[in-house]
Amino acid sequence: MTPDALNPPTPVPQAIATPLTRAAIFLVVTVHPGEPASAAVRSICADLPALLRSVGFRDQEGHLSCIIGFGSEAWDRLFGDPRPAELHPFHEFHAENRHAIATPGDVLFHIRADRMDLCFELATVMMTTLGDAVAVADEVQGFQYFDNRDLLGFVDGTENPEGQAAVDAVLIGDEDPAFAGGSYVILQKYLHDMAGWNALPTEMQERIIGRTKFANADLDPALKPSSAHNALTIIIENGMEIKIVRYNMPFGNPGQGEFGTYFIGYSKSPRTIELMLENMFVGRPPGNYDRLLDFSRPVTGNLFFVPAASLLDSLAVVPKAVLEDAPKTPASADAPTLSPEHDGALMIGSLKGNPQ
């Protein structure tokens, strides 16, 4: 064993704990059956930095980034063992007519920049690279709306932690050392009943959200109901509030009467966001649900694991377990091969960021 394996470098995370941008594309795809399709997706793990450079050089002040994440079933198909400790299918929550649904999705590409054209170009290049290996399950273009407000008129993301607090909130550490530097992300696409919402007096809207609409101040505790959105989404453990990082964006098609918010939350454990969703949809206590759901409904729901950037190169290597499970076919010039340095397994040293 090399000294590097005994003392692996600190994992380098993907660009999660970074400031909000003016534009984003949320691209969720499913991977077609078969090893060729899986190989194409694994390859983009190693190609991602080059693709970012090829587009981002056009405006180096555009803050172009792309976060890639994988669903539970896709992880098993693409990479096998080991797997992230808390990766599982999206948990649905259902109470009365409120339903946090689960929808198909193997891979997430969360593309962000200060210019939509950069996001659009990178999405185009990536989909061209993947070709017929994947099918689009959902694609949403988000935009900044005035001073970071959602289409309901309230400032979104006010409670996001910043700096080291954001890093601590989203990045896995010693609790899952093989996947340190990674994160979990839950996303839901919400559609709003704007006619119903706009018919409410501003004071009632503020009681539902838990903040003032124009000044963006926390509502007076004497006026804030326990069912307020920002009350139900506070998670306390051992006397400490557990934070997440949200990168929500508005989206819509006015000509089709579609107005919505794309919720996307990062956390070092999916359990935090799942508790928030349970409080919203079921209630805390049960029945004391988030009244915002009377005007907003989710039409998608996914959970993904976001590996550390220093792990992505290793994920491009075909795991031995995946090869052994694949149907046996005659060798061809197009078949993926392993380099002599690798035995086909995910090397724990490389999981911690060793150069390949």
Side-chain angles (χ1 to χ4, degrees), residues 20 148 155-162 165-166 169 209-212 216-219 224 229-231 233-235 241-248 266 276:
L20 291 168
N148 291 322
V155 175
D156 205 345
T158 299
E159 299 299 325
N160 270 355
E162 298 178 349
I209 299 297
R211 301 188 71 83
T212 59
N216 187 35
D218 199 36
L219 207 61
K224 183 194 296 188
H229 176 73
N230 69 350
T233 54
I234 292 177
I235 305 299
E241 182 179 354
I242 309 301
K243 294 281 192 176
I244 68 170
V245 173
R246 301 168 177 84
Y247 291 117
N248 302 353
Y266 289 87
M276 294 178 179

Side-chain angles (χ1 to χ4, degrees), residues 206-226:
E206 292 176 338
R207 288 171 59 84
I208 290 173
I209 299 297
R211 301 188 71 83
T212 59
K213 189 168 187 177
F214 301 109
N216 187 35
D218 199 36
L219 207 61
D220 186 320
L223 299 176
K224 183 194 296 188
S226 59

